[in-house]
Amino acid sequence: QVQLVESGGGLVQPGGSLRLSCAASGSSFSFNSMGWYRQAPGKERELVTTITSTGRINYADSVKGRFSISRANAKNTVYLQMTSLKPEDTAVYYCNAKLRTLTRDYDYWGQGTQVTVSS
């Protein structure tokens, strides 16, 4: 049973920084891709950033230059360093992991961690 556990959310003032962590357990395989999505109240869940097992990274335009993703493959752990935070970054942030096998693809989600940017 794969589980993703996020940590590091909280309340921060505009312009501040936060670091989110996501640790995956229950898998002996390295995930093909790990990343972060977010969902603000009344909005759909959206991609923030992803990183593949080979280190290829993708960022949403809204966070380029402010957010940075990194990954420890051996630990199936992914981090999100968020800087220059804005009120519009307020959302529940979800960790995601994707595993591709010969027979099917698997998509795993964490429970989410709240990030609130407010003065």
Side-chain angles (χ1 to χ4, degrees):
Q1 182 84 10
V2 173
Q3 287 189 320
L4 304 181
V5 179
E6 301 112 332
S7 61
L11 173 64
V12 64
Q13 292 186 342
S17 299
L18 277 177
R19 186 176 189 245
L20 305 183
S21 300
C22 172
S25 61
S27 174
S28 58
F29 299 98
S30 179
F31 296 105
N32 298 91
S33 172
M34 297 187 75
W36 296 91
Y37 290 70
R38 67 186 181 187
Q39 187 167 19
K43 295 187 177 181
E44 294 186 354
R45 190 174 297 189
E46 63 177 5
L47 170 73
V48 177
T49 178
T50 59
I51 182 169
T52 69
S53 58
T54 58
R56 189 169 72 245
I57 294 174
N58 178 46
Y59 291 106
D61 287 343
S62 59
V63 305
K64 282 181 180 177
R66 300 188 298 120
F67 290 12
S68 177
I69 189 171
S70 59
R71 177 174 173 175
N73 282 335
K75 297 181 180 180
N76 268 340
T77 300
V78 66
Y79 307 95
L80 180 64
Q81 180 67 48
M82 304 184 292
T83 64
S84 300
L85 282 160
K86 305 175 181 179
E88 50 264 43
D89 294 317
T90 296
V92 177
Y93 283 70
Y94 295 92
C95 180
N96 173 261
K98 300 185 190 299
L99 180 64
R100 180 171 296 170
T101 69
L102 292 177
T103 55
R104 61 170 285 187
D105 294 344
Y106 295 85
D107 209 7
Y108 302 103
W109 293 92
Q111 80 286 356
T113 185
Q114 178 69 47
V115 172
T116 302
V117 185
S118 176
S119 55

